[in-house]
């Protein structure tokens, strides 16, 4: 995987309020094989629509992936996502208690299992406290963001 996913820019302002959660995730290598990998979920008030999933330690080469906070929340309850990021809730019928995230670039696909309770708790207690659901749009600098998109 690339060092940084294309959606990993822009960088947050250092003074922005934010929250991080470091987790022990499982990188799925095959049907019956996986390895532990440390990851960090991050959320910043100056980028209120997105969360970042950063691979740490030996898996750091997988980079940092940014995707919608709402996508992560919805994925706790039902399969969601299209394209580069897809998320599935725990599936007890298949013996999987973890939240599964699929990350895809042009060359590779990675399946990552995250502990569901910790992710849910972090979203509720940390990110939704910083920026309540439904208020993200009030924090965006629409003229600057649109100007950046049209360049």
């Amino acid at each position: 995987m690339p060092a940084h996913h294309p959606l990993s820019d822009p960088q947050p302002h250092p003074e922005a309020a934010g929250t991080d959660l470091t987790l022990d995730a499982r990188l799925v290598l095959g049907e019956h094989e996986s390895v532990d990998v440390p990851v960090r979920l991050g959320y910043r008030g100056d980028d209120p629509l997105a969360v970042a999933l950063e691979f740490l330690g030996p898996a750091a080469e997988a980079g940092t992936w940014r995707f919608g906070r709402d996508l992560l929340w919805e994925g706790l309850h039902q399969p969601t996502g299209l394209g580069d990021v897809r998320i599935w809730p725990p599936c007890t019928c298949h013996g999987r208690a973890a939240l599964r995230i699929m990350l895809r670039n042009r060359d590779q696909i990675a399946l990552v299992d995250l502990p569901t309770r910790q992710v849910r708790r972090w979203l509720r207690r940390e990110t939704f406290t910083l920026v309540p659901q439904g208020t993200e749009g009030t924090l965006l600098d629409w003229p600057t963001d649109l100007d950046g998109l049209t360049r």
Side-chain angles (χ1 to χ4, degrees), residues 104-121:
R104 177 175 31 200
N105 67 16
R106 291 182 190 165
D107 302 320
Q108 297 174 315
I109 294 176
L111 291 176
V112 182
D113 287 347
L114 300 177
T116 304
R117 284 187 184 144
Q118 289 177 278
V119 172
R120 181 180 289 117
R121 185 179 318 123

Side-chain angles (χ1 to χ4, degrees), residues 62-117:
T64 299
W65 290 73
R66 299 178 73 72
F67 49 90
R69 178 177 72 165
D70 285 346
L71 182 74
L72 184 58
W73 179 253
E74 187 177 331
L76 287 165
H77 310 291
Q78 63 187 20
T80 189
L82 298 170
D84 293 344
V85 179
R86 296 182 185 188
I87 303 175
W88 292 271
C91 182
T92 54
C93 60
H94 290 98
R96 185 175 45 78
L99 177 69
R100 177 159 290 172
I101 299 177
M102 182 190 75
L103 305 168
R104 177 175 31 200
N105 67 16
R106 291 182 190 165
D107 302 320
Q108 297 174 315
I109 294 176
L111 291 176
V112 182
D113 287 347
L114 300 177
T116 304
R117 284 187 184 144

